[in-house]
mmCIF file of all heavy atoms in Angstrom:
data_model
loop_
_atom_site.group_PDB
_atom_site.id
_atom_site.type_symbol
_atom_site.label_atom_id
_atom_site.label_comp_id
_atom_site.label_asym_id
_atom_site.label_seq_id
_atom_site.Cartn_x
_atom_site.Cartn_y
_atom_site.Cartn_z
ATOM 1 N N LEU H 1 104.493 90.191 116.784
ATOM 2 C CA LEU H 1 104.342 90.764 115.446
ATOM 3 C C LEU H 1 105.556 91.637 115.179
ATOM 4 O O LEU H 1 105.853 92.553 115.950
ATOM 5 C CB LEU H 1 103.066 91.598 115.330
ATOM 6 C CG LEU H 1 102.903 92.402 114.024
ATOM 7 C CD1 LEU H 1 102.846 91.471 112.819
ATOM 8 C CD2 LEU H 1 101.672 93.291 114.072
ATOM 9 N N ASN H 2 106.264 91.352 114.108
ATOM 10 C CA ASN H 2 107.443 92.118 113.717
ATOM 11 C C ASN H 2 107.206 92.663 112.308
ATOM 12 O O ASN H 2 107.068 91.897 111.352
ATOM 13 C CB ASN H 2 108.680 91.216 113.749
ATOM 14 C CG ASN H 2 109.935 91.935 113.298
ATOM 15 O OD1 ASN H 2 110.048 93.148 113.455
ATOM 16 N ND2 ASN H 2 110.873 91.211 112.723
ATOM 17 N N THR H 3 107.126 93.983 112.186
ATOM 18 C CA THR H 3 106.830 94.627 110.900
ATOM 19 C C THR H 3 107.910 95.657 110.575
ATOM 20 O O THR H 3 108.298 96.448 111.441
ATOM 21 C CB THR H 3 105.465 95.342 110.951
ATOM 22 O OG1 THR H 3 104.440 94.387 111.199
ATOM 23 C CG2 THR H 3 105.173 96.045 109.632
ATOM 24 N N LYS H 4 108.372 95.641 109.334
ATOM 25 C CA LYS H 4 109.341 96.644 108.883
ATOM 26 C C LYS H 4 109.081 96.924 107.406
ATOM 27 O O LYS H 4 108.728 96.025 106.645
ATOM 28 C CB LYS H 4 110.774 96.166 109.089
ATOM 29 C CG LYS H 4 111.047 94.757 108.600
ATOM 30 C CD LYS H 4 112.348 94.235 109.144
ATOM 31 C CE LYS H 4 112.588 92.787 108.723
ATOM 32 N NZ LYS H 4 111.608 91.866 109.332
ATOM 33 N N GLY H 5 109.235 98.177 107.007
ATOM 34 C CA GLY H 5 108.969 98.520 105.614
ATOM 35 C C GLY H 5 109.044 100.016 105.389
ATOM 36 O O GLY H 5 109.701 100.754 106.127
ATOM 37 N N LEU H 6 108.339 100.473 104.347
ATOM 38 C CA LEU H 6 108.345 101.879 103.953
ATOM 39 C C LEU H 6 106.938 102.334 103.583
ATOM 40 O O LEU H 6 106.138 101.536 103.078
ATOM 41 C CB LEU H 6 109.259 102.111 102.745
ATOM 42 C CG LEU H 6 110.768 102.008 102.922
ATOM 43 C CD1 LEU H 6 111.442 102.111 101.555
ATOM 44 C CD2 LEU H 6 111.287 103.109 103.843
ATOM 45 N N THR H 7 106.657 103.597 103.819
ATOM 46 C CA THR H 7 105.453 104.228 103.271
ATOM 47 C C THR H 7 105.889 105.480 102.511
ATOM 48 O O THR H 7 106.887 106.116 102.874
ATOM 49 C CB THR H 7 104.459 104.648 104.368
ATOM 50 O OG1 THR H 7 105.026 105.694 105.158
ATOM 51 C CG2 THR H 7 104.100 103.468 105.251
ATOM 52 N N PHE H 8 105.157 105.801 101.470
ATOM 53 C CA PHE H 8 105.415 107.061 100.776
ATOM 54 C C PHE H 8 104.122 107.585 100.183
ATOM 55 O O PHE H 8 103.184 106.836 99.918
ATOM 56 C CB PHE H 8 106.504 106.909 99.705
ATOM 57 C CG PHE H 8 106.142 105.993 98.564
ATOM 58 C CD1 PHE H 8 105.475 106.471 97.453
ATOM 59 C CD2 PHE H 8 106.494 104.649 98.605
ATOM 60 C CE1 PHE H 8 105.151 105.637 96.403
ATOM 61 C CE2 PHE H 8 106.177 103.802 97.560
ATOM 62 C CZ PHE H 8 105.506 104.292 96.453
ATOM 63 N N ARG H 9 104.092 108.898 99.999
ATOM 64 C CA ARG H 9 102.936 109.529 99.376
ATOM 65 C C ARG H 9 103.411 110.816 98.705
ATOM 66 O O ARG H 9 104.509 111.317 98.993
ATOM 67 C CB ARG H 9 101.841 109.850 100.394
ATOM 68 C CG ARG H 9 102.120 111.055 101.267
ATOM 69 C CD ARG H 9 100.938 111.412 102.149
ATOM 70 N NE ARG H 9 101.099 112.714 102.766
ATOM 71 C CZ ARG H 9 101.783 112.939 103.872
ATOM 72 N NH1 ARG H 9 102.372 111.935 104.501
ATOM 73 N NH2 ARG H 9 101.878 114.164 104.365
ATOM 74 N N GLY H 10 102.591 111.336 97.795
ATOM 75 C CA GLY H 10 102.975 112.572 97.137
ATOM 76 C C GLY H 10 101.891 113.061 96.214
ATOM 77 O O GLY H 10 100.800 112.497 96.121
ATOM 78 N N ARG H 11 102.194 114.139 95.501
ATOM 79 C CA ARG H 11 101.290 114.667 94.482
ATOM 80 C C ARG H 11 102.112 115.341 93.402
ATOM 81 O O ARG H 11 103.231 115.815 93.645
ATOM 82 C CB ARG H 11 100.258 115.626 95.070
ATOM 83 C CG ARG H 11 100.812 116.897 95.671
ATOM 84 C CD ARG H 11 99.716 117.656 96.413
ATOM 85 N NE ARG H 11 100.194 118.904 96.987
ATOM 86 C CZ ARG H 11 99.896 120.113 96.535
ATOM 87 N NH1 ARG H 11 99.106 120.230 95.473
ATOM 88 N NH2 ARG H 11 100.357 121.191 97.113
ATOM 89 N N ILE H 12 101.563 115.361 92.220
ATOM 90 C CA ILE H 12 102.259 115.908 91.059
ATOM 91 C C ILE H 12 101.400 117.003 90.433
ATOM 92 O O ILE H 12 100.272 116.745 89.996
ATOM 93 C CB ILE H 12 102.548 114.813 90.018
ATOM 94 C CG1 ILE H 12 103.387 113.685 90.658
ATOM 95 C CG2 ILE H 12 103.261 115.382 88.809
ATOM 96 C CD1 ILE H 12 103.567 112.480 89.759
ATOM 97 N N ALA H 13 101.953 118.215 90.400
ATOM 98 C CA ALA H 13 101.330 119.355 89.716
ATOM 99 C C ALA H 13 99.858 119.560 90.075
ATOM 100 O O ALA H 13 99.054 119.961 89.238
ATOM 101 C CB ALA H 13 101.474 119.197 88.207
ATOM 102 N N ASP H 14 99.491 119.257 91.319
ATOM 103 C CA ASP H 14 98.121 119.472 91.799
ATOM 104 C C ASP H 14 97.073 118.635 91.061
ATOM 105 O O ASP H 14 95.871 118.885 91.196
ATOM 106 C CB ASP H 14 97.720 120.949 91.713
ATOM 107 C CG ASP H 14 98.338 121.764 92.836
ATOM 108 O OD1 ASP H 14 98.873 121.148 93.778
ATOM 109 O OD2 ASP H 14 98.290 122.998 92.763
ATOM 110 N N HIS H 15 97.492 117.674 90.270
ATOM 111 C CA HIS H 15 96.534 116.877 89.508
ATOM 112 C C HIS H 15 96.444 115.435 89.981
ATOM 113 O O HIS H 15 95.376 114.833 89.924
ATOM 114 C CB HIS H 15 96.901 116.876 88.020
ATOM 115 C CG HIS H 15 96.726 118.192 87.351
ATOM 116 N ND1 HIS H 15 95.590 118.950 87.493
ATOM 117 C CD2 HIS H 15 97.544 118.910 86.534
ATOM 118 C CE1 HIS H 15 95.705 120.064 86.797
ATOM 119 N NE2 HIS H 15 96.890 120.065 86.207
ATOM 120 N N VAL H 16 97.539 114.867 90.418
ATOM 121 C CA VAL H 16 97.565 113.450 90.778
ATOM 122 C C VAL H 16 98.110 113.289 92.191
ATOM 123 O O VAL H 16 99.144 113.862 92.537
ATOM 124 C CB VAL H 16 98.448 112.642 89.803
ATOM 125 C CG1 VAL H 16 98.482 111.171 90.204
ATOM 126 C CG2 VAL H 16 97.931 112.786 88.381
ATOM 127 N N GLY H 17 97.399 112.530 92.998
ATOM 128 C CA GLY H 17 97.891 112.167 94.322
ATOM 129 C C GLY H 17 98.149 110.675 94.366
ATOM 130 O O GLY H 17 97.430 109.894 93.730
ATOM 131 N N PHE H 18 99.148 110.254 95.105
ATOM 132 C CA PHE H 18 99.453 108.827 95.200
ATOM 133 C C PHE H 18 99.986 108.500 96.582
ATOM 134 O O PHE H 18 100.559 109.361 97.272
ATOM 135 C CB PHE H 18 100.475 108.417 94.130
ATOM 136 C CG PHE H 18 101.788 109.157 94.211
ATOM 137 C CD1 PHE H 18 102.844 108.697 94.985
ATOM 138 C CD2 PHE H 18 101.957 110.348 93.503
ATOM 139 C CE1 PHE H 18 104.037 109.388 95.056
ATOM 140 C CE2 PHE H 18 103.165 111.044 93.566
ATOM 141 C CZ PHE H 18 104.207 110.567 94.351
ATOM 142 N N SER H 19 99.786 107.279 97.003
ATOM 143 C CA SER H 19 100.321 106.820 98.279
ATOM 144 C C SER H 19 100.518 105.318 98.211
ATOM 145 O O SER H 19 99.827 104.614 97.461
ATOM 146 C CB SER H 19 99.368 107.166 99.433
ATOM 147 O OG SER H 19 98.129 106.482 99.281
ATOM 148 N N SER H 20 101.471 104.818 98.978
ATOM 149 C CA SER H 20 101.751 103.384 98.963
ATOM 150 C C SER H 20 102.498 102.990 100.226
ATOM 151 O O SER H 20 103.128 103.837 100.881
ATOM 152 C CB SER H 20 102.573 103.009 97.726
ATOM 153 O OG SER H 20 102.752 101.606 97.646
ATOM 154 N N SER H 21 102.410 101.733 100.565
ATOM 155 C CA SER H 21 103.192 101.184 101.668
ATOM 156 C C SER H 21 103.535 99.740 101.343
ATOM 157 O O SER H 21 102.765 99.034 100.681
ATOM 158 C CB SER H 21 102.419 101.255 102.986
ATOM 159 O OG SER H 21 101.307 100.363 102.964
ATOM 160 N N ILE H 22 104.694 99.307 101.795
ATOM 161 C CA ILE H 22 105.098 97.923 101.636
ATOM 162 C C ILE H 22 105.801 97.494 102.913
ATOM 163 O O ILE H 22 106.682 98.205 103.417
ATOM 164 C CB ILE H 22 105.996 97.718 100.399
ATOM 165 C CG1 ILE H 22 106.381 96.235 100.272
ATOM 166 C CG2 ILE H 22 107.217 98.620 100.426
ATOM 167 C CD1 ILE H 22 107.015 95.893 98.948
ATOM 168 N N THR H 23 105.379 96.369 103.466
ATOM 169 C CA THR H 23 105.960 95.894 104.714
ATOM 170 C C THR H 23 106.264 94.406 104.642
ATOM 171 O O THR H 23 105.589 93.648 103.948
ATOM 172 C CB THR H 23 105.006 96.132 105.904
ATOM 173 O OG1 THR H 23 103.754 95.464 105.659
ATOM 174 C CG2 THR H 23 104.760 97.613 106.117
ATOM 175 N N ASP H 24 107.293 94.017 105.366
ATOM 176 C CA ASP H 24 107.663 92.619 105.558
ATOM 177 C C ASP H 24 107.269 92.259 106.984
ATOM 178 O O ASP H 24 107.637 92.970 107.942
ATOM 179 C CB ASP H 24 109.174 92.449 105.345
ATOM 180 C CG ASP H 24 109.638 91.029 105.624
ATOM 181 O OD1 ASP H 24 108.821 90.101 105.478
ATOM 182 O OD2 ASP H 24 110.817 90.851 105.987
ATOM 183 N N ASN H 25 106.507 91.175 107.163
ATOM 184 C CA ASN H 25 105.918 90.856 108.459
ATOM 185 C C ASN H 25 106.203 89.433 108.883
ATOM 186 O O ASN H 25 106.124 88.507 108.054
ATOM 187 C CB ASN H 25 104.392 91.045 108.409
ATOM 188 C CG ASN H 25 103.994 92.418 107.910
ATOM 189 O OD1 ASN H 25 103.817 93.340 108.677
ATOM 190 N ND2 ASN H 25 103.851 92.550 106.585
ATOM 191 N N GLN H 26 106.517 89.257 110.148
ATOM 192 C CA GLN H 26 106.584 87.941 110.769
ATOM 193 C C GLN H 26 105.643 87.982 111.969
ATOM 194 O O GLN H 26 105.740 88.889 112.807
ATOM 195 C CB GLN H 26 108.016 87.601 111.232
ATOM 196 C CG GLN H 26 109.017 87.423 110.093
ATOM 197 C CD GLN H 26 109.512 88.736 109.527
ATOM 198 O OE1 GLN H 26 109.820 89.664 110.282
ATOM 199 N NE2 GLN H 26 109.576 88.842 108.201
ATOM 200 N N GLU H 27 104.732 87.021 112.036
ATOM 201 C CA GLU H 27 103.660 87.113 113.021
ATOM 202 C C GLU H 27 103.311 85.743 113.585
ATOM 203 O O GLU H 27 103.203 84.755 112.861
ATOM 204 C CB GLU H 27 102.424 87.745 112.383
ATOM 205 C CG GLU H 27 101.235 87.888 113.307
ATOM 206 C CD GLU H 27 100.073 88.624 112.659
ATOM 207 O OE1 GLU H 27 100.093 88.785 111.414
ATOM 208 O OE2 GLU H 27 99.158 89.038 113.386
ATOM 209 N N ARG H 28 103.129 85.691 114.896
ATOM 210 C CA ARG H 28 102.487 84.549 115.552
ATOM 211 C C ARG H 28 101.391 85.129 116.435
ATOM 212 O O ARG H 28 101.658 85.869 117.374
ATOM 213 C CB ARG H 28 103.460 83.737 116.397
ATOM 214 C CG ARG H 28 102.730 82.599 117.161
ATOM 215 C CD ARG H 28 103.653 81.824 118.082
ATOM 216 N NE ARG H 28 104.489 80.913 117.334
ATOM 217 C CZ ARG H 28 105.807 80.842 117.440
ATOM 218 N NH1 ARG H 28 106.438 81.670 118.254
ATOM 219 N NH2 ARG H 28 106.502 79.970 116.726
ATOM 220 N N GLY H 29 100.145 84.820 116.111
ATOM 221 C CA GLY H 29 99.011 85.352 116.855
ATOM 222 C C GLY H 29 98.569 84.417 117.958
ATOM 223 O O GLY H 29 99.119 83.326 118.134
ATOM 224 N N PRO H 30 97.553 84.799 118.716
ATOM 225 C CA PRO H 30 96.985 83.921 119.739
ATOM 226 C C PRO H 30 96.293 82.715 119.101
ATOM 227 O O PRO H 30 96.158 82.631 117.881
ATOM 228 C CB PRO H 30 95.989 84.830 120.467
ATOM 229 C CG PRO H 30 95.676 85.923 119.489
ATOM 230 C CD PRO H 30 96.908 86.119 118.668
ATOM 231 N N ASP H 31 95.828 81.801 119.908
ATOM 232 C CA ASP H 31 95.290 80.533 119.405
ATOM 233 C C ASP H 31 94.141 80.723 118.414
ATOM 234 O O ASP H 31 94.086 80.053 117.376
ATOM 235 C CB ASP H 31 94.811 79.666 120.577
ATOM 236 C CG ASP H 31 95.974 79.100 121.380
ATOM 237 O OD1 ASP H 31 97.092 79.042 120.833
ATOM 238 O OD2 ASP H 31 95.763 78.722 122.549
ATOM 239 N N PHE H 32 93.207 81.635 118.726
ATOM 240 C CA PHE H 32 92.049 81.802 117.845
ATOM 241 C C PHE H 32 92.477 82.309 116.474
ATOM 242 O O PHE H 32 91.871 82.003 115.456
ATOM 243 C CB PHE H 32 91.015 82.746 118.475
ATOM 244 C CG PHE H 32 91.416 84.192 118.501
ATOM 245 C CD1 PHE H 32 91.150 85.032 117.422
ATOM 246 C CD2 PHE H 32 92.064 84.721 119.605
ATOM 247 C CE1 PHE H 32 91.521 86.362 117.439
ATOM 248 C CE2 PHE H 32 92.443 86.057 119.626
ATOM 249 C CZ PHE H 32 92.172 86.873 118.553
ATOM 250 N N PHE H 33 93.544 83.114 116.454
ATOM 251 C CA PHE H 33 94.076 83.641 115.205
ATOM 252 C C PHE H 33 94.675 82.508 114.374
ATOM 253 O O PHE H 33 94.391 82.372 113.179
ATOM 254 C CB PHE H 33 95.138 84.697 115.532
ATOM 255 C CG PHE H 33 95.870 85.244 114.333
ATOM 256 C CD1 PHE H 33 95.375 86.328 113.633
ATOM 257 C CD2 PHE H 33 97.065 84.678 113.915
ATOM 258 C CE1 PHE H 33 96.050 86.841 112.542
ATOM 259 C CE2 PHE H 33 97.749 85.184 112.830
ATOM 260 C CZ PHE H 33 97.243 86.261 112.140
ATOM 261 N N THR H 34 95.501 81.672 114.997
ATOM 262 C CA THR H 34 96.138 80.558 114.297
ATOM 263 C C THR H 34 95.098 79.580 113.776
ATOM 264 O O THR H 34 95.199 79.072 112.649
ATOM 265 C CB THR H 34 97.121 79.834 115.231
ATOM 266 O OG1 THR H 34 98.056 80.781 115.765
ATOM 267 C CG2 THR H 34 97.879 78.750 114.494
ATOM 268 N N THR H 35 94.060 79.318 114.594
ATOM 269 C CA THR H 35 92.992 78.411 114.167
ATOM 270 C C THR H 35 92.284 78.946 112.936
ATOM 271 O O THR H 35 91.940 78.198 112.013
ATOM 272 C CB THR H 35 91.969 78.225 115.304
ATOM 273 O OG1 THR H 35 92.638 77.693 116.445
ATOM 274 C CG2 THR H 35 90.855 77.277 114.880
ATOM 275 N N ARG H 36 92.093 80.250 112.894
ATOM 276 C CA ARG H 36 91.402 80.879 111.769
ATOM 277 C C ARG H 36 92.189 80.736 110.467
ATOM 278 O O ARG H 36 91.608 80.615 109.390
ATOM 279 C CB ARG H 36 91.172 82.361 112.082
ATOM 280 C CG ARG H 36 90.417 83.123 111.009
ATOM 281 C CD ARG H 36 89.003 82.607 110.852
ATOM 282 N NE ARG H 36 88.283 83.332 109.824
ATOM 283 C CZ ARG H 36 87.101 82.973 109.353
ATOM 284 N NH1 ARG H 36 86.506 81.890 109.821
ATOM 285 N NH2 ARG H 36 86.510 83.681 108.419
ATOM 286 N N VAL H 37 93.512 80.727 110.564
ATOM 287 C CA VAL H 37 94.352 80.619 109.376
ATOM 288 C C VAL H 37 94.046 79.336 108.606
ATOM 289 O O VAL H 37 93.981 79.317 107.375
ATOM 290 C CB VAL H 37 95.848 80.669 109.762
ATOM 291 C CG1 VAL H 37 96.734 80.352 108.561
ATOM 292 C CG2 VAL H 37 96.204 82.049 110.315
ATOM 293 N N TYR H 38 93.817 78.251 109.338
ATOM 294 C CA TYR H 38 93.622 76.955 108.689
ATOM 295 C C TYR H 38 92.164 76.504 108.665
ATOM 296 O O TYR H 38 91.860 75.416 108.182
ATOM 297 C CB TYR H 38 94.452 75.897 109.418
ATOM 298 C CG TYR H 38 95.940 76.171 109.387
ATOM 299 C CD1 TYR H 38 96.584 76.702 110.497
ATOM 300 C CD2 TYR H 38 96.698 75.915 108.245
ATOM 301 C CE1 TYR H 38 97.951 76.971 110.474
ATOM 302 C CE2 TYR H 38 98.055 76.173 108.215
ATOM 303 C CZ TYR H 38 98.676 76.701 109.337
ATOM 304 O OH TYR H 38 100.034 76.953 109.307
ATOM 305 N N ALA H 39 91.242 77.331 109.180
ATOM 306 C CA ALA H 39 89.861 76.884 109.380
ATOM 307 C C ALA H 39 89.130 76.552 108.096
ATOM 308 O O ALA H 39 88.348 75.601 108.043
ATOM 309 C CB ALA H 39 89.086 77.947 110.163
ATOM 310 N N SER H 40 89.345 77.292 107.027
ATOM 311 C CA SER H 40 88.527 77.146 105.821
ATOM 312 C C SER H 40 88.986 76.015 104.907
ATOM 313 O O SER H 40 88.285 75.655 103.963
ATOM 314 C CB SER H 40 88.546 78.456 105.029
ATOM 315 O OG SER H 40 89.854 78.701 104.521
ATOM 316 N N GLY H 41 90.132 75.464 105.171
ATOM 317 C CA GLY H 41 90.697 74.470 104.253
ATOM 318 C C GLY H 41 91.565 75.113 103.183
ATOM 319 O O GLY H 41 92.232 74.428 102.404
ATOM 320 N N TYR H 42 91.524 76.463 103.109
ATOM 321 C CA TYR H 42 92.377 77.229 102.198
ATOM 322 C C TYR H 42 93.197 78.184 103.056
ATOM 323 O O TYR H 42 92.766 79.311 103.309
ATOM 324 C CB TYR H 42 91.535 77.992 101.178
ATOM 325 C CG TYR H 42 90.704 77.103 100.295
ATOM 326 C CD1 TYR H 42 89.382 76.824 100.616
ATOM 327 C CD2 TYR H 42 91.251 76.528 99.144
ATOM 328 C CE1 TYR H 42 88.609 75.995 99.805
ATOM 329 C CE2 TYR H 42 90.490 75.710 98.334
ATOM 330 C CZ TYR H 42 89.170 75.439 98.672
ATOM 331 O OH TYR H 42 88.421 74.611 97.868
ATOM 332 N N PRO H 43 94.348 77.759 103.539
ATOM 333 C CA PRO H 43 95.110 78.538 104.516
ATOM 334 C C PRO H 43 95.357 79.976 104.052
ATOM 335 O O PRO H 43 95.787 80.224 102.931
ATOM 336 C CB PRO H 43 96.433 77.767 104.631
ATOM 337 C CG PRO H 43 96.070 76.362 104.256
ATOM 338 C CD PRO H 43 95.023 76.494 103.191
#
């Protein structure tokens, strides 16, 4: 699993809070994980 990205959070004037994250991922899981990806017919 290779993940890279950014997270940020903040608040404005004590009224609004916000948070977010965005990541780019490359992943190869174990066999049961890969099987699950295609199991439903909707990958």
Side-chain angles (χ1 to χ4, degrees):
L1 172 62
N2 178 29
T3 298
K4 48 195 177 294
L6 289 173
T7 67
F8 65 88
R9 76 174 192 277
R11 64 189 181 108
I12 302 172
D14 283 348
H15 291 313
V16 179
F18 59 89
S19 64
S20 185
S21 68
I22 181 168
T23 58
D24 176 27
N25 307 269
Q26 293 79 43
E27 180 175 14
R28 176 184 284 128
D31 288 339
F32 72 87
F33 175 88
T34 305
T35 301
R36 182 65 180 170
V37 172
Y38 299 102
S40 67
Y42 298 95

